Amino acid sequence: LRGLPPIALVVGTLDILLEDNLAMAALLSSAGGEVDVRAYPRVPPRLHLLPDRHGAAVRGIEPWLADRLLGK
């Protein structure tokens, strides 16, 4: 897992893959990677498909992406 670009893991606490996301974050971090985990309370799986209901989660990642992709 060394040499990967920065990674953001965005997951809802109701997602069945929450624990998998947290485990992956630990592996990435222990390999020296930059990882940002955002676990949103009471948010179901596929939160990116529900922008009206969970827009804060979707909008919250935009500054992270802009900073890494555009150097802002």
Side-chain angles (χ1 to χ4, degrees), residues 4-49:
L4 292 174
I7 295 175
L9 299 172
V10 181
V11 63
T13 59
L14 299 179
D15 194 320
I16 193 169
L17 297 176
L18 172 61
E19 295 301 321
D20 292 329
N21 277 267
L22 297 177
M24 179 55 77
L27 288 171
L28 290 164
S29 182
S30 68
E34 178 187 341
V35 61
D36 183 354
V37 179
R38 297 176 186 217
Y40 289 88
R42 299 177 308 281
V43 175
R46 298 177 302 278
L47 67 99
H48 62 285
L49 298 176

Side-chain angles (χ1 to χ4, degrees), residues 42-65:
R42 299 177 308 281
V43 175
R46 298 177 302 278
L47 67 99
H48 62 285
L49 298 176
L50 306 167
D52 292 337
R53 186 169 171 208
H54 305 293
V58 175
R59 286 187 306 275
I61 201 65
E62 289 174 353
W64 186 92
L65 285 170

